[in-house]
Amino acid sequence: MALDEIKTGLVEVRGNAMPEEPLSDHEIIQLVKDGDESAFAEIISRYRNPITNYLYRFLNDYEEAVDLAQETFVRVYFALDRYHTEYAFSTYIYRIATNLAISEIRKRKRRNLFSLTGLFRSDADDMTEYQPPDTRQGPAENLEEDERSRLIMTAIAALPEKYRLPIILRDIQGRTYEEVAEILELGLGTTKSRISRARRLLRTKLEDHFDRN
Amino acid sequence: MKRETNEQTNSMNDDEERIAEMLRGLKQVAAPNDFEFRVNARIARGRPAENSGWGFAPVFRTAVPLLLVLVVAGFLIGNYHYSVDSNAVAVMPETDLENETFERVARDVRSEDFVEPGLDTGPKTPPAETFVNDTALAAADHSGADVPVSGPLAMPSAADAEPVPAGGSFDSALSTSNRSIMPPGISRSPRIRIETNADVSRRPITAERILRQIGIEAEFTAGKWFAKGVRAKSPADRSGIRAGDAITAIDGRILGADTEFAGIFTGRTLKVERGGETLFIDIR
């Protein structure tokens, strides 16, 4: 009984909902829409790590990823009125994060449009999109990654954007092909082909690493 | 052959699978502990600014000052050139050499002159000039011969005459300029033209300055500008202004002690009081 009385604001608002059964994303969104501000904390709690991880793998910059992840939730919050349950909420939030990340990449390119480093790229990198290096301090201690992971990250960062996004969503974030297609607003066939192509490109880039192992 | 292709495909699929496995094995990065707090703080601050693609604010921040600088620079450069060109008209000749140059410039102005009937108001002294009638012009145009002109205004002096190219036409008749082809009653004399812009110091155009421009040393006494003296060979001298004349108006604009004109002043006909009678004299 004592335990029953210790309820979070979220559970209290749910009223008759069973605490043992987690609410679906759509139900939580509906609660937020109905005025329960604390319900949004549950959304943040569910998606903050996946979205941060997704953006980090895409941007290869932890601080920027965290910043954009926060921005993603802010945008979700202010756009809840426009959100329809036509798609899964995960698809919706990933799409917002993707758009923000793409905008960020374009901003970086503009900032470095006249950078000399861009002019002296080697031809071997033609297949890759130029991205200015992140000169900021490295991520926190929870980002300590081994040499192998850094190698993979470098190879992913060198992939063109159209290959990088689907392979991260599919292989790192574990989204289904259908979800990836919906997030990126692509056809299913195109999505599969891009993921396959991205893996082959990665295979080529990591050839030495493969051979050693 | 087919078997080789299948083996290659299988090998590729294996590689892809290994890559996928490798990616799945990457460590999941976690959000910082204060993530939720920072999101809520941002939400409390309000709606985020919409992402405007190219980010027009920075573009405007750069473009607007740049545009202003270009406009100001263009204005200054244009004004400088304009001033340099106009100085030729505005500078008052002091020496004989300058006087000659001034007269030459005055002739150039005359050659580019055009008819502005509105400026020729009031009675005028009949212009002592000869004009070429339409029949003569038409004949010249067809024949290619120069138009015969005569009269006191035909040329200021033989030395100053510009040679008329052989086989001149109507255009050449116009370009030689000193010959009047206008009907009687419309003056072909050079107008007075003074521009404030031509003066670096931006001095206002006073009545005294206008009169000095055409060669009259004037003094304002008894409510009128009296010519104390007229410089020899100056436009005023050529037009017949004498010392002692009172110049009361130019093109109907009365000249008072403090009369000033802004911008560009142009004039042609002086209202002169001489010995109790009023004359209207065109500046030549």
Side-chain angles (χ1 to χ4, degrees):
Chain A
M1 188 63 186
L3 279 176
D4 289 342
E5 287 172 2
I6 304 171
K7 293 176 177 175
T8 62
L10 175 61
V11 177
E12 283 170 2
V13 173
R14 281 185 214 150
N16 295 329
M18 295 292 287
E20 293 80 10
E21 294 178 13
L23 293 178
S24 71
D25 290 344
H26 286 159
E27 286 171 319
I28 296 175
I29 295 298
Q30 193 54 51
L31 284 173
V32 181
K33 281 184 178 178
D34 292 343
D36 179 13
E37 296 287 329
S38 61
F40 195 67
E42 177 65 16
I43 290 288
I44 296 175
S45 165
R46 285 185 188 186
Y47 286 98
R48 66 180 200 171
N49 287 342
I51 294 293
T52 304
N53 187 60
Y54 168 56
L55 291 169
Y56 171 62
R57 296 302 177 192
F58 180 62
L59 298 170
N60 204 13
D61 178 344
Y62 182 72
E63 292 300 325
E64 195 69 58
V66 170
D67 183 55
L68 287 188
Q70 289 166 3
E71 184 69 15
T72 302
F73 285 101
V74 174
R75 291 196 180 217
V76 166
Y77 181 84
F78 283 113
L80 277 182
D81 290 338
R82 298 201 295 270
Y83 170 68
H84 298 294
T85 54
E86 189 182 344
Y87 296 108
F89 179 75
S90 59
T91 303
Y92 178 67
I93 196 169
Y94 268 107
R95 190 179 289 173
I96 290 177
T98 303
N99 290 337
L100 281 172
I102 290 171
S103 296
E104 172 61 24
I105 291 285
R106 286 178 187 158
K107 269 189 218 164
R108 282 191 199 177
K109 282 181 185 169
R110 282 202 300 275
R111 278 200 296 264
N112 295 274
L113 190 61
F114 300 107
S115 166
L116 286 177
T117 53
L119 297 176
F120 296 104
R121 275 192 297 160
S122 68
D123 291 339
D125 291 337
D126 276 350
M127 276 298 291
T128 69
E129 283 188 52
Y130 171 67
Q131 283 194 43
D134 177 22
T135 54
R136 281 181 271 188
Q137 290 272 318
E141 64 278 357
N142 65 344
L143 291 176
E144 283 176 6
E145 293 182 289
D146 56 17
E147 180 65 28
R148 181 167 165 271
S149 298
R150 274 196 289 275
L151 202 65
I152 297 170
M153 283 295 289
T154 308
I156 292 174
L159 286 176
E161 191 179 290
K162 67 177 181 177
Y163 297 125
R164 196 167 5 136
L165 283 167
I167 200 173
I168 291 172
L169 283 167
R170 174 74 188 107
D171 290 341
I172 299 180
Q173 297 302 115
R175 315 313 300 180
T176 64
Y177 282 109
E178 289 76 11
E179 278 180 305
V180 176
E182 282 181 359
I183 291 166
L184 300 179
E185 298 177 276
L186 296 170
L188 190 58
T190 308
T191 307
K192 285 181 177 175
S193 119
R194 285 192 183 178
I195 290 170
S196 173
R197 172 82 174 134
R199 286 173 180 158
R200 274 180 278 154
L201 284 171
L202 274 185
R203 167 74 179 84
T204 311
K205 288 178 189 299
L206 297 170
E207 207 154 13
D208 293 340
H209 179 72
F210 264 83
D211 293 344
R212 277 204 307 270
N213 296 284
Chain B
M1 183 69 179
K2 194 174 180 181
R3 182 182 295 171
E4 280 180 16
T5 311
N6 284 339
E7 281 174 1
Q8 278 179 351
T9 309
N10 289 336
S11 168
M12 186 59 76
N13 287 339
D14 287 347
D15 283 347
E16 283 187 27
E17 191 51 44
R18 285 176 66 190
I19 289 287
E21 217 170 285
M22 190 185 286
L23 295 180
R24 278 194 289 272
L26 282 174
K27 187 179 173 183
Q28 293 289 307
V29 171
N33 294 332
D34 62 345
F35 188 91
E36 186 183 333
F37 173 79
R38 284 156 71 177
V39 170
N40 288 331
R42 282 191 184 196
I43 289 173
R45 278 206 298 270
R47 189 177 292 273
E50 290 297 324
N51 195 334
S52 57
W54 256 91
F56 282 109
V59 173
F60 276 119
R61 273 202 296 272
T62 312
V64 169
L66 192 66
L67 199 64
L68 282 175
V69 167
L70 287 175
V71 167
V72 171
F75 175 77
L76 290 176
I77 291 168
N79 198 26
Y80 171 75
H81 283 296
Y82 189 61
S83 300
V84 168
D85 291 338
S86 304
N87 274 337
V89 180
V91 167
M92 189 67 191
E94 297 293 342
T95 64
D96 285 346
L97 181 63
E98 283 177 347
N99 197 33
E100 191 179 318
T101 309
F102 180 80
E103 285 177 12
R104 212 163 268 162
V105 169
R107 266 207 319 282
D108 290 344
V109 172
R110 185 177 353 178
S111 70
E112 292 165 11
D113 205 356
F114 54 90
V115 180
E116 284 186 42
L119 290 175
D120 293 327
T121 54
K124 290 187 171 82
T125 51
E129 54 190 24
T130 305
F131 62 92
V132 181
N133 61 38
D134 291 346
T135 315
L137 278 175
D141 195 22
H142 285 296
S143 65
D146 200 4
V147 182
V149 200
S150 62
L153 272 186
M155 291 284 182
S157 68
D160 288 335
E162 292 174 8
V164 179
S169 63
F170 180 72
D171 287 334
S172 68
L174 281 176
S175 67
T176 49
S177 73
N178 287 322
R179 307 154 185 206
S180 171
I181 56 168
M182 303 308 296
I186 297 179
S187 170
R188 287 290 299 162
S189 59
R191 280 174 293 165
I192 307 162
R193 180 182 174 89
I194 305 178
E195 296 173 23
T196 315
N197 290 340
D199 194 330
V200 177
S201 66
R202 294 287 190 275
R203 284 182 296 140
I205 304 171
T206 60
E208 187 181 10
R209 186 177 164 197
I210 295 166
L211 295 175
R212 187 150 37 84
Q213 171 89 13
I214 56 175
I216 302 172
E217 283 300 322
E219 188 181 36
F220 192 79
T221 49
K224 291 173 189 170
W225 285 100
F226 281 93
K228 286 196 299 182
V230 178
R231 200 166 52 253
K233 295 182 181 178
S234 67
D237 185 30
R238 282 202 309 272
S239 307
I241 306 289
R242 301 174 197 162
D245 286 351
I247 295 93
T248 55
I250 299 176
D251 284 349
R253 284 167 289 185
I254 296 167
L255 302 183
D258 302 315
T259 303
E260 286 184 2
F261 300 95
I264 300 172
F265 175 85
T266 57
R268 180 178 296 173
T269 307
L270 267 56
K271 187 180 178 184
V272 178
E273 288 178 11
R274 181 185 295 164
E277 61 177 306
T278 303
L279 305 173
F280 291 90
I281 299 176
D282 284 355
I283 292 298
R284 297 173 183 170

